[in-house]
Amino acid sequence: MDRSKALGHIVLVSILLVLILPFLVLIIWSFSQGWASNALLPNEFGLRGWRYLFSQQSRMLSSLGMSILISLVVTGFGMILSIPAGKALGLYIFPGKRLIELLVLAPTIIPTIAVGMGIQIAFIRYGLADTLLGVILVHLPLVLPYGIRIFASIYKALGTKWEDQAKILKANGWQRFWFTSLPFLYPGMISAGVLMFNVSFSQYFLTYLIGGGKIMTLPILLFPFVNSGDRVMASGLSLIFILSSLILMLIIERVITDSEEKTNVYYL
Amino acid sequence: MVSRDSLKAYLYLTPALSVILIFFLGGFILAFIQSLGYFPAIGQEDLTFKYYREVLNKPEFFKSLSYTFYIALLSTTIATVSGTFLAYYLLRTSVKKSFIAFLYKFPIAVPHLVVALMIVFILSQGGILSRLLLKGGLISDTASFPAFFYTQNALGIILIYIWKEIPFVTFMVYTVMRNIHTKLGEAAQNLKASPGQVFFHVILPLSMPSIISASALVFAYSFGAFEVPYLLGATYPKTMPVWAYLNFISADLSARPIAMVINMIVSLVCAVSIFIYYLSAKKYLRKWS
Amino acid sequence: MSYSVKREKEDRPVKKLLRILLTLSVLLTGCASNSSVPTPGQVQNNPLDKEWTTILSEAKGTTVNFYMWGGDERTNTWVDAVVASSMLKEYGVKVNRVPMGPDEYLNKLIGEKQANKQEGSIDLVWINGENFRTARQANLLWGPFADKVPNYQNYVDKTAPDIANDFGFPVEGYEVPYGKAQFVFASDTTKVKNPPKSSAELLEWLKKHPGRFTYPELPDFTGSVFVRQLMYELCGGYQAFPYTEQVNKATLNKQLQPLWDYLGAAKGYLWRQGKTYPSSIAALHQLFADGEVDITMSYNPAIFSGMIEQGLLPNSVRTNLWNNGTIGNTHFLAIPFNAANKNGALALADFMLSPEAQLSKYEPKNWGDLISLDVNKLDPQSLKDLEGINPGIATLSTEELQTHRLPEISAAYIPVIEELWKEQVIQSGQ
């Protein structure tokens, strides 16, 4: 038994190492000033990267703001669209349900490259290319499958009994939703919110193709640095990326939840 | 006559479906039309399959397809197998729930681009690991450290994918396994079944649908992904999505339909993989329900 | 005969379906829509008909979207800090740098042309070579505008062959010279005592130091010029490639046989035995900084001084040329056919060609790009300032660069050479 316990510790510790160690390297790189080709550690530490990133020219702060704005709007609309859709798929049986279930999954199956390259011309035509609205509109379908699946399974588990009860009490549609369904949806809203937010927050290809370089988000800012190999900049920007994403995840959890029991239904 | 409930369902679905149909499938249909050579800007309005023939006859086609397949298949297999065992392992250990939550929330916040950067720092020939081995005298120069990037073995790309995908598979499977375990696992244990028997005869078959579904999603993702192979792939062959993109941005306009044809092939492979998942999940469900 | 008839019949239902899809796509792309047909006001508002002072006053308060490759922090910072603040101060124009390279923005312009979009998002681009040729041939550029720009009139030697032609392709006033570049090699003097100075010396060096050299895969800009550099040495110099618009692939392939032989002989001695190549010049610089290769290269002769100053490379790195010279070129600024703010673009182009901007750009700590103005036309003060600029520890003197500069060949060759390289070097060896 001891042996398996020790083995267990080894497994957990190595998982943690694999997850955490890369970040240490990232932090060291972001503070390095010169790093000789054979040295294990930088020969000089400095703030070149951080100073540039927090200067006006780097546009880091404005891109971060743009990223947060886009992802929050996408998450908000994603939520509004996927709760009723989830309800329909979770509670009702209707002709064409199978097909619709498949359609809803489509954005997780068909790669975004095919859709992005195909739709670019239409977006240019209708003046949606290079605009905030255009970027939000291409992000939106990507997040819907996650929301719809989560809410569908919650409604399925919930059934209609609570709403029926409320109907007997003569509550109208909104009241029924607000007071009976919504409390059950909270845990799903956290998971869906966090997932939707991150899908939008880390999207590079569609933002680049539709935003045309004019809608500057963090991934758009980061990509050339990773590509051109300025590792100091790339590391600093990556850390800002991860940190802001984690903080916003926490905020989303705090904003939505007020119940003590958090059920995590991230992947249903 | 459509029932009231059906009408209600359609009404609830309309907004979400319209967004998916217009802004996602619409783009796909446009890509399809362009793959048939419909391109008014250069005076091409006739529809033709000639670009499909052209792509299928290119020497790169088969190499690129198999390279992409290899990357997607290998990363999916590794992620699925280790994710499933890890899920079962976490189920049986008494680690804190918050620890498990951390394990799967954390990787969500790290985009592929950043994972790529971190793994390059560690595993490139000039990376930390290679320098450590050099200092320790285990290799004589950095060139004798195995190449992970820009190579045809694509090991670096695969490692980047599985860093993101193992947590995904683990917790997609974990949530399902937890339910099965509480319901059936104890009953099985009361019947004096060994943990191995419980796993292979009860838990694994019952979680199969979720395992297959997780791996299908992971496969479709890694087959259609662009950024990582674009940054770290070999000179030749390119993965299908990268090959499509290079044709798309080519200044030679006649390469656009080629890009769209490659896109269609990538989409087809992804759709087929999901379809296989759907069939096998159905088979399992029928067998065990 | 009967076969084809039968096929046509079989195709019919498919064709019908396609027609339906086509109609759908017309609806989606709105090919028949007139949403972006130019309004009379836009057409009349042609800056070429206006006085320069009118152009400037109309440009005041506008924003110029300047599209340029964005992978170099120093270049970015120079545009964002120096150019943007001077433009705001001197012209009242805001500069918005958009980090997007020529492949992508040309693609975008083609898309906008296809969709008949008359008010585009790009006002000014950084361009040259085969990209300029492509853009001109697809009618993606607006002009000729060069003569409208005062600083072009005042300071540029319009008849100089490297100003009047861009990779042999006549400029005809559709772009103005932004700067000049020359191909150089770089190595760490503590590791490479005598860097190779010809193709023969390079091959000899490679045999002694296997795995310590490579070049970026084509069509990377620098990788492409490296291959042309070899081609000049092995296939009879630039004179062997006269100006042309049409290149015959098979003939060129035969002419380049010595090049393929050389690359074939060198392949096994390259980094990773030439089985793969770094994907971009930045990736090669990274290999160099990591000590995986001993020699790197650049089309910017001052870049290494800048990298040393930033601590990215050791102090002992120096640049060198080849004995028979290296390829140099001019890079330009151009205005897209549908630029929404042509007045602003003209103002920015004018500023970029001012001695003030050119000297600041030449400072190695800013960028180190060679000036595109005619030194003889500079006023005494600017000339003095120019001579006072230290080009940087690893940068060769302007005279040395100038005496070793070889012209580019015509742009039509370049895509064909790149294609042949892929076939001869990459695919044949697999």
Side-chain angles (χ1 to χ4, degrees):
Chain A
M1 217 52 203
D2 269 355
R3 204 173 52 111
S4 76
K5 214 172 191 177
L7 188 78
H9 282 302
I10 291 170
V11 172
L12 288 180
V13 167
S14 47
I15 294 172
L16 269 182
L17 277 182
V18 168
L19 285 184
I20 304 295
L21 215 58
F23 289 93
L24 283 181
V25 183
L26 220 52
I27 293 170
I28 296 175
W29 259 113
S30 76
F31 283 103
S32 83
Q33 188 82 14
W35 199 334
S37 56
N38 288 324
L40 279 180
L41 283 174
N43 25 10
E44 213 183 320
F45 287 94
L47 292 173
R48 177 179 76 92
W50 291 108
R51 218 176 278 135
Y52 175 75
L53 288 176
F54 281 94
S55 72
Q56 196 76 46
Q57 289 97 45
S58 78
R59 287 188 271 178
M60 184 276 287
L61 286 172
S62 60
S63 314
L64 176 63
M66 182 61 91
S67 271
I68 293 174
L69 174 71
I70 291 174
S71 304
L72 284 184
V73 172
V74 169
T75 307
F77 277 100
M79 207 76 94
I80 294 169
L81 294 178
S82 53
I83 290 177
K87 183 172 181 178
L89 291 178
L91 289 185
Y92 303 111
I93 293 163
F94 50 90
K97 190 173 175 181
R98 267 281 145 79
L99 179 72
I100 290 178
E101 279 175 336
L102 202 68
L103 281 180
V104 163
L105 266 184
T108 55
I109 304 168
I110 299 174
T112 49
I113 50 148
V115 173
M117 290 184 209
I119 211 164
Q120 191 204 29
I121 183 85
F123 268 52
I124 292 174
R125 178 94 230 184
Y126 287 111
L128 288 169
D130 303 332
T131 65
L132 185 61
L133 179 65
V135 171
I136 289 172
L137 286 176
V138 284
H139 278 204
L140 202 49
L142 301 185
V143 306
L144 289 177
Y146 299 95
I148 295 176
R149 280 184 84 180
I150 288 173
F151 292 119
S153 65
I154 290 179
Y155 270 110
K156 204 170 185 174
L158 195 61
T160 53
K161 55 179 193 281
W162 291 95
E163 288 219 11
D164 292 344
Q165 195 75 32
K167 248 185 220 165
I168 295 167
L169 295 170
K170 296 242 157 41
N172 69 27
W174 274 112
Q175 287 170 327
R176 289 204 304 272
F177 175 73
W178 203 258
F179 295 109
T180 56
S181 300
L182 200 57
F184 290 102
L185 294 180
Y186 278 144
M189 284 172 76
I190 298 171
S191 317
V194 167
L195 268 185
M196 287 177 175
F197 183 85
N198 277 296
V199 167
S200 167
F201 202 66
S202 57
Q203 179 58 236
Y204 167 75
F205 188 75
L206 286 180
T207 313
Y208 186 67
L209 215 58
I210 299 302
K214 271 182 110 179
I215 303 299
M216 285 294 280
T217 61
L218 275 189
I220 304 289
L221 196 64
L222 175 62
F223 196 87
F225 283 124
V226 175
N227 197 10
S228 77
D230 191 332
R231 292 180 171 178
V232 179
M233 297 296 162
S235 305
L237 209 50
S238 296
L239 287 169
I240 291 170
F241 197 123
I242 298 166
L243 221 64
S244 38
S245 174
L246 283 174
I247 290 171
L248 280 150
M249 271 164 86
L250 276 179
I251 293 175
I252 290 174
E253 294 191 351
R254 283 277 137 35
V255 166
I256 295 176
T257 184
D258 48 13
S259 58
E260 64 293 348
E261 172 69 359
K262 282 187 278 177
T263 327
N264 285 302
V265 276
Y266 277 82
Y267 306 112
L268 284 161
Chain B
M1 186 63 206
V2 186
S3 74
R4 229 181 101 86
D5 271 2
S6 299
L7 270 180
K8 230 177 178 176
Y10 292 138
L11 191 68
Y12 286 153
L13 280 162
T14 305
L17 272 186
S18 328
V19 167
I20 292 176
L21 282 175
I22 297 172
F23 296 111
F24 197 83
L25 291 172
F28 179 73
I29 290 168
L30 283 177
F32 175 60
I33 304 250
Q34 291 179 62
S35 78
L36 297 170
Y38 182 74
F39 202 14
I42 52 170
Q44 284 186 27
E45 306 208 349
D46 290 330
L47 302 180
T48 162
F49 280 108
K50 93 170 187 224
Y51 297 105
Y52 281 83
R53 246 170 278 142
E54 204 175 304
V55 168
L56 294 179
N57 284 328
K58 273 182 193 281
E60 299 109 299
F61 170 70
F62 186 70
K63 292 215 160 156
S64 173
L65 186 68
S66 39
Y67 183 56
T68 320
F69 238 112
Y70 156 79
I71 294 175
L73 208 60
L74 193 57
S75 61
T76 306
T77 312
I78 296 173
T80 308
V81 172
S82 25
T84 306
F85 281 110
L86 199 61
Y88 185 61
Y89 176 77
L90 289 177
L91 196 68
R92 291 180 46 86
T93 48
S94 48
V95 282
K96 282 203 191 98
K97 245 180 134 182
S98 58
F99 178 74
I100 295 182
F102 167 78
L103 282 190
Y104 70 95
K105 273 186 206 168
F106 188 57
I108 297 178
V110 187
H112 278 92
L113 208 52
V114 175
V115 182
L117 190 69
M118 297 188 306
I119 294 192
V120 167
F121 283 169
I122 294 174
L123 288 181
S124 70
Q125 287 183 320
I128 298 286
L129 198 59
S130 148
R131 291 178 191 196
L132 267 175
L133 293 180
L134 190 67
K135 281 264 144 44
L138 291 167
I139 52 174
S140 54
D141 55 13
T142 48
S144 42
F145 187 77
F148 283 87
F149 305 101
Y150 312 113
T151 59
Q152 285 166 5
N153 65 31
L155 289 178
I157 297 175
I158 291 168
L159 276 171
I160 291 162
Y161 285 159
I162 64 176
W163 194 94
K164 280 284 281 185
E165 288 164 356
I166 289 182
F168 177 82
V169 176
T170 305
F171 294 97
M172 203 155 155
V173 175
Y174 176 77
T175 28
V176 175
M177 273 190 182
R178 200 176 49 190
N179 290 336
I180 299 164
H181 192 66
T182 39
K183 278 183 202 147
L184 291 172
E186 281 164 35
Q189 260 163 5
N190 288 341
L191 294 171
K192 300 246 157 51
S194 76
Q197 282 171 320
V198 175
F199 178 71
F200 283 106
H201 294 284
V202 183
I203 307 247
L204 191 61
L206 281 178
S207 7
M208 222 34 167
S210 74
I211 294 172
I212 296 171
S213 125
S215 58
L217 284 178
V218 162
F219 180 86
Y221 177 83
S222 28
F223 198 87
F226 165 77
E227 289 131 88
V228 176
Y230 178 75
L231 289 172
L232 300 171
T235 301
Y236 184 79
K238 302 281 185 205
T239 68
M240 298 285 280
V242 174
W243 190 30
Y245 182 72
L246 293 178
N247 274 290
F248 181 72
I249 62 164
S250 160
D252 179 8
L253 286 180
S254 62
R256 276 246 184 144
I258 302 277
M260 300 302 171
V261 169
I262 303 168
N263 277 329
M264 288 303 113
I265 296 170
V266 174
S267 307
L268 185 73
V269 172
C270 294
V272 167
S273 78
I274 297 285
F275 186 66
I276 292 173
Y277 136 70
Y278 181 72
L279 286 185
S280 44
K282 227 164 90 180
K283 200 182 89 195
Y284 268 101
L285 281 178
R286 211 180 303 130
K287 212 164 147 191
W288 289 91
S289 59
Chain C
M1 191 61 199
S2 66
Y3 174 72
S4 70
V5 171
K6 199 170 152 224
R7 262 183 69 125
E8 240 166 56
K9 264 187 189 157
E10 274 176 2
D11 276 348
R12 220 172 265 158
V14 180
K15 285 243 162 93
K16 212 171 186 179
L17 178 73
L18 292 179
R19 293 277 163 228
I20 296 169
L21 283 174
L22 192 61
T23 327
L24 208 83
S25 85
V26 169
L27 281 173
L28 273 164
T29 53
C31 287
S33 108
N34 55 5
S35 61
S36 41
V37 164
T39 59
Q42 286 166 4
V43 174
Q44 279 166 15
N45 212 348
N46 187 346
L48 293 181
D49 303 334
K50 285 182 285 195
E51 291 293 315
W52 183 249
T53 47
T54 320
I55 293 174
L56 286 191
S57 68
E58 283 182 13
K60 213 167 222 142
T62 61
T63 299
V64 183
N65 292 303
F66 180 32
Y67 277 58
M68 54 177 271
W69 172 74
D72 183 41
E73 171 222 336
R74 283 183 317 137
T75 319
N76 294 349
T77 309
W78 181 72
V79 171
D80 289 341
V82 180
V83 176
S85 65
S86 303
M87 280 299 288
L88 203 56
K89 240 188 299 174
E90 292 168 30
Y91 296 78
V93 174
K94 266 183 82 176
V95 176
N96 178 34
R97 174 180 62 82
V98 181
M100 187 185 263
D103 285 347
E104 274 98 352
Y105 69 62
L106 283 182
N107 182 261
K108 202 168 141 80
L109 286 174
I110 288 169
E112 293 184 352
K113 184 127 207 157
Q114 194 183 357
N116 193 24
K117 192 180 176 189
Q118 295 297 326
E119 284 236 355
S121 45
I122 310 177
D123 297 319
L124 191 70
V125 294
W126 179 15
I127 195 169
N128 77 348
E130 73 260 40
N131 294 314
F132 174 67
R133 177 172 164 266
T134 309
R136 281 287 286 133
Q137 286 179 339
N139 273 322
L140 298 177
L141 297 180
W142 175 78
F145 71 91
D147 283 331
K148 204 79 200 171
V149 178
N151 282 333
Y152 176 79
Q153 299 275 23
N154 296 340
Y155 296 112
V156 174
D157 178 4
K158 295 183 220 172
T159 52
D162 60 343
I163 300 282
N165 302 295
D166 183 354
F167 283 54
F169 195 87
V171 166
E172 290 171 344
Y174 280 86
E175 47 179 14
V176 290
Y178 181 27
K180 286 183 183 178
Q182 187 165 353
F183 188 59
V184 294
F185 293 90
S187 50
D188 188 336
T189 45
T190 58
K191 289 182 188 164
V192 183
K193 294 275 181 286
N194 288 310
K197 293 199 165 146
S198 66
S199 55
E201 283 180 33
L202 178 65
L203 190 60
E204 224 170 278
W205 186 90
L206 277 174
K207 286 180 179 162
K208 278 188 212 140
H209 307 89
R212 306 297 297 169
F213 176 85
T214 187
Y215 56 98
E217 72 173 86
L218 279 57
D220 175 87
F221 202 77
T222 314
S224 187
V225 74
F226 171 71
V227 169
R228 288 199 295 282
Q229 180 72 36
L230 287 176
M231 183 181 97
Y232 279 21
E233 295 243 328
L234 300 162
C235 310
Y238 65 91
Q239 299 91 337
F241 302 89
Y243 180 79
T244 177
E245 264 314 299
Q246 283 295 323
V247 176
N248 182 302
K249 196 172 160 185
T251 320
L252 182 65
N253 193 23
K254 218 174 277 165
Q255 198 182 350
L256 295 185
Q257 197 51 49
L259 174 67
W260 309 137
D261 292 343
Y262 180 93
L263 287 174
K267 193 166 184 170
Y269 302 104
L270 294 180
W271 176 74
R272 304 232 182 123
Q273 289 89 47
K275 283 188 192 123
T276 194
Y277 296 81
S279 58
S280 66
I281 182 60
L284 177 63
H285 286 330
Q286 196 60 61
L287 291 179
F288 181 68
D290 281 347
E292 286 191 45
V293 295
D294 287 334
I295 297 176
T296 184
M297 55 191 80
S298 176
Y299 218 146
N300 173 356
I303 190 174
F304 300 103
S305 300
M307 287 167 90
I308 291 172
E309 229 164 276
Q310 283 175 307
L312 296 173
L313 293 177
N315 254 323
S316 43
V317 168
R318 289 294 179 273
T319 55
N320 69 280
L321 300 165
W322 278 5
N323 295 330
N324 292 336
T326 59
I327 299 175
N329 78 23
T330 310
H331 45 103
F332 296 84
L333 297 170
I335 301 175
F337 73 100
N338 63 353
N341 182 8
K342 296 191 176 82
N343 295 321
L346 286 168
L348 179 54
D350 185 54
F351 174 73
M352 291 295 204
L353 266 59
S354 67
E356 175 198 350
Q358 290 280 324
L359 289 182
S360 154
K361 184 160 67 74
Y362 181 58
E363 287 267 359
K365 72 168 181 343
N366 289 337
W367 177 352
D369 191 41
L370 304 175
I371 69 167
S372 60
L373 309 181
D374 183 356
V375 183
N376 301 322
K377 292 189 175 179
L378 288 179
D379 54 287
Q381 185 55 46
S382 302
L383 198 61
K384 225 179 118 200
D385 291 346
L386 177 66
E387 279 158 2
I389 294 173
N390 176 3
I393 181 170
T395 314
L396 299 167
S397 72
T398 316
E399 296 81 40
E400 193 172 354
L401 289 169
Q402 219 141 35
T403 52
H404 285 84
R405 190 173 300 162
L406 303 172
E408 277 285 6
I409 49 169
S410 69
Y413 285 109
I414 289 162
V416 187
I417 296 172
E418 286 166 358
E419 217 175 290
L420 284 170
W421 178 81
K422 201 170 135 192
E423 286 166 19
Q424 295 286 341
V425 178
I426 298 300
Q427 289 173 3
S428 69
Q430 300 297 320

